[in-house]
Amino acid sequence: MVDLHVSGLGLPNLALLAVVSATAYYAAWLAYNLLLHPLRRFPGPLLHRASHLPRAYYLVTGALGHKVADLHRAYGPVVRVAPDELAFADPQAWRDIYGHRAPGEPEFEKDGRFYRPIDDMPENIVSARSREYHGALRRQLAHGFSERSMRAQEPIIGGYVDLLVHKLREACSSPVSSSPGKAEEGGKVNMREWLNWCTFDVIGDLGFGSPFGCLESGSYHPWVRRITETIRFGGVVSALMGVGLGGLVQAISRCGGMKSRDEHQKLTREKLLQRIELGAEGRPDFIEGLIRKKDELGMDLLQLQMNASLLIVAGSETTATLLSGATFLLLTNPEALEKLTNEVRSTFADDADITLSSVGSLSYMLACLNESLRRYPPVVIGLPRVVPKGGAQVAGHVIPEGTRVAVWHYAISHDPALWTDPMGFHPERFLGDPRFAGDALDAMQPFSLGPRNCIGKNLAYAEMRLILAKIVYHFDMRIAAESRGWLEGQKAFTVWDKPPLQVYLRPVKR
Ligand code: HEM
């Protein structure tokens, strides 16, 4: 043991020395970031250029998506949002960061701090590091997302959408969920929950082969509840990683987080084992291709589990979020709602005519969904990639290797330099209206692009069209007073933290 008195330093002096040294080190690091760092020439607020703390603060408070939009308005299309990170609001940046590469040309890897914060977790298709493993997984999953599979999935998806309509009918006429009085207004329902339950039931069935029963019970299955809670926690984890507290994240995960993680995994395992028992053939779901090739891919049960869980998270919360956003935006833009209602009700004479393929003909509906994807992109933040060895060009700028780069979904979709009236709701901008001729339509990529873009994009569009068409066909809708400000100040972590969306529904009499 060191004799502190011999060395002439008492404990208080040692503590003081430690504080002074840490402060001097931190001050030198701030000065380095501002004056000598290879990214010093890029604009951004002083505090963001100097330290990771402001980014982490906005991330945990759910305000980072809006903050980056403000920063682009103030500093232009490239902003240094943290000492080693740049945000881009330029359509070319999508292609440069996320686009396909020629063989042998390196990809911009997914940033491990965001995608793999807990290093003992097996990888899934989204977090997979290696191009080869990702490619093999994607090829296997592609079967479940083909045109042929989607046709075979139609009865499953359609069945849940019909159940949603049936349950909404019940809910809006139930005395519990209706507001008192004014029968002509219909009953009040929380559309956020019903849309979430429907998409979780659909994807649960297509991912695991067994439904979660959310619509039937009118409540969240524990598996689903846990997933929605995890999304919020993900923001905190990512912020801690960003300020260099990765060790703390690992420790929390090993102690406190472990119990609920284990329970969740147990439930996932049970569901997957039930699905495996059904056999790989004969069920047109997503997991069928993986089960068939699991030995060839070297996948154990845990890896299968990770991918099945991922498919459900990726495919349900996103779709439900967009549908909630579209419902709110339509109800607060009556002209657009009226045009959509006319389109749907004049196209279909009967409920049975509304199918996964027939809704493809609704052009105004597609424009409404695209405008909702712009105004309310389900993935709000920028999905970070790392510039490969030797550096690379992004949107005409030479960026040094190791830099964290991303295009921020919400920010680029609301940039006044790229969109006319970006805060308005104008489906017409997607229908060739000359008022919006200057819009950069390729600036929004809500499903990302390139080899790691959304594999479920076609399914998402088909499902969103079917659900919205059935709701508009069967119900007249009006926003409840308490939800009129639904979008104002809404927080977002990776996806939006949606408050309840209260809507009056009145079944259409035919
Ligand atoms: C409106 C709905 C949706 C949106 C906005 C959306 C958005 C995205 C985005 C931005 C990515 C890229 C993630 C990254 O770069 O890290 C992605 C990937 C992915 N999405 Fe979607 N998604 C939606 C619906 C779906 C659906 C219905 C499924 C079906 C299960 C799905 C499954 C996936 C999968 C498996 C990936 C990973 C693909 C890969 O890495 O090869 N998504 N999605």
Side-chain angles (χ1 to χ4, degrees):
M1 206 172 163
V2 181
D3 182 347
L4 299 173
H5 292 286
V6 173
S7 65
L9 290 172
L11 255 185
N13 286 338
L14 260 185
L16 184 65
L17 185 65
V19 171
V20 170
S21 310
T23 311
Y25 175 81
Y26 193 63
W29 182 70
L30 296 181
Y32 167 80
N33 285 337
L34 290 172
L35 305 171
L36 299 169
H37 194 284
L39 297 184
R40 64 186 177 280
R41 66 197 157 87
F42 289 99
L46 182 84
L47 289 178
H48 286 252
R49 286 185 283 126
S51 154
H52 289 93
L53 287 176
R55 183 195 191 281
Y57 166 78
Y58 289 112
L59 184 61
V60 288
T61 53
L64 191 58
H66 285 112
K67 180 69 191 173
V68 173
D70 293 345
L71 293 181
H72 279 305
R73 269 192 289 274
Y75 293 93
V78 191
V79 180
R80 195 174 166 202
V81 289
D84 56 352
E85 177 174 355
L86 297 174
F88 289 85
D90 182 325
Q92 181 60 35
W94 283 117
R95 296 182 277 278
D96 292 341
I97 297 172
Y98 304 91
H100 285 280
R101 295 286 180 275
E105 204 187 331
E107 280 177 2
F108 284 37
E109 258 190 32
K110 290 193 164 187
D111 184 354
R113 283 181 292 176
F114 178 77
Y115 286 98
R116 295 174 295 274
I118 297 162
D119 54 18
D120 64 347
M121 293 287 273
E123 293 180 348
N124 57 39
I125 183 169
V126 166
S127 63
R129 231 170 294 229
S130 121
R131 209 164 166 173
E132 290 68 36
Y133 182 54
H134 170 264
L137 275 178
R138 180 136 179 153
R139 275 190 297 283
Q140 275 323 112
L141 276 176
H143 296 294
F145 290 93
S146 65
E147 199 56 48
R148 197 161 143 247
S149 292
M150 220 154 76
R151 273 200 302 277
Q153 289 158 359
E154 176 148 15
I156 300 178
I157 302 172
Y160 287 111
V161 181
D162 288 343
L163 182 59
L164 169 70
V165 171
H166 173 72
K167 290 284 179 179
L168 284 177
R169 227 178 247 284
E170 271 180 11
C172 73
S173 51
S174 123
V176 179
S177 46
S178 300
S179 67
K182 295 201 181 163
E184 73 283 3
E185 289 188 327
K188 192 163 62 173
V189 297
N190 180 356
M191 288 301 280
R192 176 194 69 177
E193 309 295 52
W194 287 102
L195 293 167
N196 257 3
W197 294 334
C198 182
T199 61
F200 267 109
D201 274 354
V202 168
I203 302 293
D205 201 324
L206 296 178
F208 280 140
S210 60
F212 287 113
C214 297
L215 281 172
E216 204 51 76
S217 65
S219 65
Y220 282 97
H221 184 284
W223 195 100
V224 173
R225 190 175 292 287
R226 150 90 202 192
I227 283 291
T228 42
E229 285 163 7
T230 308
I231 291 172
R232 178 182 258 266
F233 183 61
V236 179
V237 169
S238 181
L240 289 173
M241 298 294 291
V243 295
L245 293 177
L248 185 63
V249 173
Q250 310 279 347
I252 293 173
S253 149
R254 285 200 185 89
C255 314
M258 276 308 246
K259 191 166 166 280
S260 69
R261 197 176 96 185
D262 286 351
E263 278 167 15
H264 178 72
Q265 291 201 350
K266 185 165 161 271
L267 206 65
T268 313
R269 191 158 43 246
E270 280 164 14
K271 273 189 158 289
L272 193 61
L273 285 170
Q274 284 167 8
R275 170 65 189 86
I276 291 173
E277 260 175 42
L278 288 175
E281 302 299 329
R283 227 184 164 276
D285 57 29
F286 308 139
I287 209 77
E288 175 261 339
L290 289 186
I291 294 178
R292 197 146 29 88
K293 289 275 170 125
K294 70 179 184 345
D295 297 331
E296 216 173 285
L297 291 165
M299 287 179 92
D300 58 19
L301 191 64
L302 187 58
Q303 281 165 308
L304 267 180
Q305 250 173 257
M306 298 302 294
N307 282 292
S309 301
L310 181 275
L311 283 168
I312 289 166
V313 180
S316 49
E317 182 69 27
T318 44
T319 314
T321 292
L322 190 278
L323 283 166
S324 292
T327 305
F328 171 80
L329 289 161
L330 284 163
L331 298 196
T332 47
N333 288 276
E335 254 181 54
L337 179 65
E338 196 187 327
K339 277 191 202 167
L340 177 66
T341 307
N342 288 340
E343 181 179 61
V344 171
R345 294 185 189 168
S346 65
T347 305
F348 303 112
D350 192 88
D351 169 82
D353 300 337
I354 312 176
T355 64
L356 218 50
S357 33
S358 69
V359 289
S361 68
L362 303 172
S363 51
Y364 194 71
M365 162 152 326
L366 179 60
C368 289
L369 288 172
N370 281 333
E371 180 66 342
S372 304
L373 282 163
R374 185 190 70 77
R375 275 294 281 117
Y376 193 67
V379 178
V380 183
I381 63 167
L383 296 168
R385 303 292 199 263
V386 180
V387 175
K389 226 172 170 353
Q393 286 247 358
V394 178
H397 299 270
V398 177
I399 312 294
E401 69 184 46
T403 305
R404 202 185 207 212
V405 288
V407 180
W408 288 66
H409 287 271
Y410 179 85
I412 196 166
S413 297
H414 291 83
D415 194 320
L418 301 166
W419 303 96
T420 309
D421 187 17
M423 301 311 286
F425 182 75
H426 304 290
E428 289 69 21
R429 70 173 89 239
F430 294 96
L431 294 167
D433 186 321
R435 282 178 299 159
F436 304 99
D439 284 3
L441 299 185
D442 60 345
M444 64 174 262
Q445 298 290 347
F447 297 92
S448 193
L449 47 71
R452 307 197 67 155
N453 77 340
C454 180
I455 197 172
K457 180 175 170 180
N458 292 341
L459 173 68
Y461 268 114
E463 198 187 346
M464 294 184 308
R465 283 162 145 168
L466 184 63
I467 293 176
L468 192 54
K470 288 253 181 180
I471 292 177
V472 169
Y473 182 80
H474 284 287
F475 300 98
D476 290 326
M477 292 185 273
R478 195 170 57 79
I479 192 93
E482 64 268 40
S483 286
R484 273 196 201 120
W486 187 74
L487 213 49
E488 279 161 35
Q490 203 177 110
K491 291 185 174 161
F493 297 90
T494 303
V495 294
W496 297 100
D497 192 18
K498 314 182 288 279
L501 178 61
Q502 302 291 359
V503 171
Y504 286 101
L505 292 188
R506 191 182 52 193
V508 175
K509 290 200 180 77
R510 290 197 166 82

